[in-house]
Amino acid sequence: MVAVTMSSPPLSRAVAARARFFVQRGTGNEGRQGKFSVRLLLPVGCQSTSGSVPGVVTAAAADSSSKAGLSTALRNIGWVSFWSQFTLSVVSGIVLLFSTGLLAGNALQPSPTDVLTATGVLTGLVAAFISWGLVRTGRLIAEGKVVKLELVMAAVLASTRLNLIGLGATILGMQASIGGLVAKTLSSAAGGMAYYNARVAPPPVAFDVFTVQSGINSVLAHYLGLVLAFWLLNILRRHIAKEEEGA
């Protein structure tokens, strides 16, 4: 009677091909009936009790690591983008209200400068809430839920467009505001009276400075939003390219 036994942890084909077999014949208490045992010896450093081969990264592990990195990027970049744009836009909006005199109880008479600056403030707030949506998307990916990266990229592109529109409107508003300040300064200065027989505009007041400060805050909000959005677009493109290669 011949009994053949094999004992070995599961191995990949490459490791199994390099393994060495030997047959050991033993004699038992059954007289002439010998027992044969076949044992599988692994090369040094390749023995494993878990069934995995050291140094070999599976596709599932690589995919899990990639999703974890994407989730972290969405949460961190989205969080920074939201708070920076939201805070600067809110401050810009409050300063703009001071510059119009609305908080002092005066009648609202918005100028083109105020309208353009307000456009920058509103677009900054909308872009900030899109960034908050990216934070929630990152949390969904961390929970293992399926998220289409194309939709995430579309949201980032929408935020980029809003920031560009807001940045352009705010810059135009600041140009008009600074131009008005220059005209008021020249008309009210002693040297300017040589060029103007009469004042063409009232002297500059604190409200005019508030308008400029509001525009600067809005420009900074949009600039930070654009930088973070382009950074996130880079990360998303790399992950989409990896998905297409894997498909």
Side-chain angles (χ1 to χ4, degrees):
M1 179 179 181
V2 178
V4 179
T5 61
M6 296 186 65
S7 59
S8 167
L11 297 172
S12 65
R13 293 182 179 179
V15 176
R18 298 177 58 187
R20 294 179 289 109
F21 292 86
F22 76 91
V23 179
Q24 177 183 3
R25 178 174 181 178
T27 57
N29 298 327
E30 301 178 2
R32 297 181 177 178
Q33 293 180 351
K35 289 185 178 180
F36 292 84
S37 62
V38 179
R39 292 185 298 173
L40 175 62
L41 296 184
L42 302 178
V44 177
C46 292
Q47 295 182 1
S48 174
T49 57
S50 62
S52 61
V53 180
V56 178
V57 180
T58 62
D63 184 61
S64 176
S65 175
S66 177
K67 287 183 177 179
L70 178 60
S71 171
T72 302
L74 284 172
R75 284 182 285 127
N76 292 343
I77 298 176
W79 188 87
V80 173
S81 178
F82 169 77
W83 283 111
S84 60
Q85 286 195 274
F86 180 78
T87 304
L88 288 169
S89 296
V90 168
V91 172
S92 180
I94 294 174
V95 173
L96 182 62
L97 290 177
F98 272 109
S99 69
T100 57
L102 184 63
L103 296 181
N106 298 332
L108 181 61
Q109 296 178 350
S111 64
T113 301
D114 297 331
V115 173
L116 290 170
T117 307
T119 302
V121 171
L122 291 176
T123 53
L125 289 173
V126 175
F129 282 104
I130 292 177
S131 298
W132 181 251
L134 297 177
V135 175
R136 297 185 61 184
T137 302
R139 291 174 181 171
L140 291 176
I141 295 176
E143 293 172 359
K145 297 183 179 179
V146 179
V147 176
K148 290 186 177 180
L149 296 185
E150 289 79 5
L151 296 180
V152 180
M153 181 171 283
V156 178
L157 288 173
S159 174
T160 303
R161 294 188 188 98
L162 284 172
N163 281 317
L164 286 173
I165 293 172
L167 184 62
T170 307
I171 290 175
L172 289 176
M174 288 185 64
Q175 288 282 353
S177 177
I178 293 173
L181 280 174
V182 171
K184 289 180 180 181
T185 303
L186 289 176
S187 63
S188 60
M193 295 303 295
Y195 300 97
Y196 297 95
N197 294 325
R199 289 181 176 176
V200 296
V205 293
F207 286 157
D208 298 323
V209 180
F210 282 155
T211 303
V212 176
Q213 182 62 51
S214 174
I216 291 174
N217 288 337
S218 184
V219 166
L220 181 58
H222 291 300
Y223 174 77
L224 291 175
L226 285 171
V227 170
L228 295 171
F230 287 140
W231 185 11
L232 197 53
L233 281 174
N234 247 349
I235 297 173
L236 286 170
R237 285 194 183 100
R238 288 201 301 268
H239 281 273
I240 291 176
K242 286 181 182 179
E243 284 190 351
E244 290 176 351
E245 289 176 0

